[in-house]
Amino acid sequence: MRLSVLDQSPILTNTSPTQALQQTTELAQFTDRLGYHRFWVSEHHSTKSLAGSAPEILIAHLAAHTKQIRVGTGGILLPHYSAYKVAESFRVLETLHPNRIDLGIGRAPGGLPNVNLALNNGKHPSIESYPQQVKDLMAYLHGHDPYEMNVYATPLGETAPPVWMLGSSGTSARLASDLGTSYSFAHFINGYGGTRAMKRYEEHFAPSLQQSHPEGNVSVFAICADTEDKAEYLASSLDLALLKIEQGEKREHFPTADEAARYPYTFFEKERIQENRRRMAVGSPSQVKKELETLASDYGVNELIINTIVHPFEERLRSYELLADEFGLSN
């Protein structure tokens, strides 16, 4: 089974945005050496606890500082942008790093509602035009002129980055199958309904100019440590972070496990944390491997994208290292 990485450039307690992006770079280089397949970075706007606001810029940097791992976006929020401009940006990236670039796309706002207005000259983007945008994007990426205006996304080349449609619902699965893109389900966002969405995608997939058969993967939170107790301790910080995000609290940093240990949880908050654990695999290497293999089997995929947010950063590196050893990854 392939393992890949989703990194959101979290800003940990007592670290700066500069350090968060430096950590993303170090993690990309580290997981490249360990044998991970992809490294995707996300797009979030006006979010003080996440440093990744321009993934197309960040992956240019990451590709230049790694050797063989695929790098990509998880994802570009297409309704905010011109499909033609996105295609040209990724044609440049593909020309610089042939067969190493992935173009993950989504239609979420990437932040609070006012982000939509700030990114679209005071207007709300048209979600209804998203399917056509995806069609245009794929056409431009593959050297076509969809509106017959003698307009092409340059530089032209023999290879094109694959489009991955990101989603956390059946709607995105239907669209990915109809348009013939690859499909990535965000289990770390929604722990329900993903297996049905993936099955629907595979059963109704329509071949496209990009690919002839369905290709899917699943992203999930995973926290691995040498012992179960240590993994649970580290995961408590993510438990608290997710709880506070759901409660609408704006934080400038992700909390530490010590902060989580001191937090006075109510009964209902503890119940919510257990519910959120559906989105995570936590434990020793053997425990996490078993959970991940079960998840992959349930979804019918052979690739999982691992999102690990723990404090300190060294424990994040260690978690990915333990998983690589347990799964026998190698270059």
Side-chain angles (χ1 to χ4, degrees):
M1 184 168 66
R2 287 175 171 172
L3 293 185
S4 296
V5 181
L6 171 63
D7 187 66
Q8 297 175 290
S9 301
I11 302 173
L12 306 178
T13 297
N14 297 323
T15 63
S16 66
T18 297
Q19 289 172 303
L21 292 179
Q22 289 172 342
Q23 290 171 353
T24 290
T25 304
E26 184 176 344
L27 180 60
Q29 294 171 324
F30 187 65
T31 52
D32 185 21
R33 295 192 297 269
L34 289 174
Y36 281 79
H37 183 57
R38 309 178 201 275
F39 193 98
W40 286 358
V41 293
S42 59
E43 178 177 340
H44 292 87
H45 299 287
S46 191
T47 305
K48 293 183 178 181
S49 60
L50 299 171
S53 58
E56 68 278 21
I57 295 176
L58 185 52
I59 66 171
H61 170 78
L62 297 176
H65 287 80
T66 52
K67 294 181 178 180
Q68 64 183 29
I69 196 169
R70 297 188 65 90
V71 292
T73 54
I76 292 290
L77 304 179
L78 192 57
H80 295 315
Y81 313 114
S82 155
Y84 178 67
K85 180 57 180 174
V86 172
E88 288 212 314
S89 296
F90 278 79
R91 285 244 41 96
V92 170
L93 288 165
E94 180 70 16
T95 304
L96 289 169
H97 307 282
N99 294 312
R100 286 189 59 207
I101 303 298
D102 292 328
L103 174 47
I105 59 172
R107 60 178 181 177
L112 295 174
N114 284 344
V115 163
N116 280 322
L117 302 178
L119 286 169
N120 292 276
N121 296 314
K123 301 177 182 178
H124 288 284
S126 173
I127 301 299
E128 291 76 16
S129 64
Y130 181 62
Q132 186 61 49
Q133 275 192 295
V134 179
K135 292 179 183 179
D136 294 345
L137 176 64
M138 293 175 67
Y140 284 127
L141 285 170
H142 288 267
H144 294 187
D145 176 16
Y147 293 100
E148 298 182 350
M149 297 190 302
N150 197 28
V151 172
Y152 300 88
T154 56
L156 300 173
E158 296 181 357
T159 62
V163 173
W164 283 81
M165 186 165 293
L166 280 59
S168 56
S169 70
T171 301
S172 55
R174 289 192 296 273
L175 188 56
S177 62
D178 291 345
L179 299 182
T181 72
S182 297
Y183 180 59
S184 183
F185 188 86
H187 187 87
F188 78 102
I189 293 176
N190 180 13
Y192 293 93
T195 56
R196 293 192 301 274
M198 188 64 69
K199 184 177 181 181
R200 198 277 178 201
Y201 163 72
E202 292 177 346
E203 290 180 346
H204 296 273
F205 180 84
S208 67
L209 57 84
Q210 173 174 294
Q211 61 196 73
S212 60
H213 59 275
E215 182 176 4
N217 63 35
V218 177
S219 52
V220 59
F221 284 123
I223 297 173
C224 187
D226 293 282
T227 65
E228 180 181 6
D229 287 345
K230 184 173 183 180
E232 287 290 338
Y233 172 73
L234 294 172
S236 66
S237 62
L238 182 57
D239 289 333
L240 179 58
L242 294 178
L243 182 67
K244 289 304 178 182
I245 290 171
E246 292 176 344
Q247 292 174 348
E249 180 178 310
K250 296 180 180 180
R251 297 178 63 97
E252 295 189 3
H253 302 90
F254 276 78
T256 67
D258 287 344
E259 288 180 73
R262 295 192 298 268
Y263 184 84
Y265 295 97
T266 67
F267 171 80
F268 294 104
E269 287 175 330
K270 291 178 181 178
E271 289 293 306
R272 186 59 200 165
I273 285 173
Q274 290 307 308
E275 185 67 18
N276 280 336
R277 282 298 184 97
R278 293 179 58 89
R279 303 188 270 159
M280 302 183 201
V282 178
S284 67
S286 61
Q287 290 172 318
V288 174
K289 182 183 180 184
K290 183 178 179 180
E291 287 190 50
L292 293 180
E293 288 179 333
T294 298
L295 185 70
S297 177
D298 289 344
Y299 273 89
V301 298
N302 63 0
E303 180 184 4
L304 293 176
I305 301 184
I306 307 303
N307 184 359
T308 301
I309 302 177
V310 294
H311 192 292
F313 174 64
E314 290 73 22
E315 295 293 352
R316 195 148 124 235
L317 296 177
R318 180 60 175 161
S319 181
Y320 282 107
E321 181 180 33
L322 289 172
L323 281 179
D325 289 344
E326 190 69 19
F327 277 89
L329 302 186
S330 66
N331 288 321

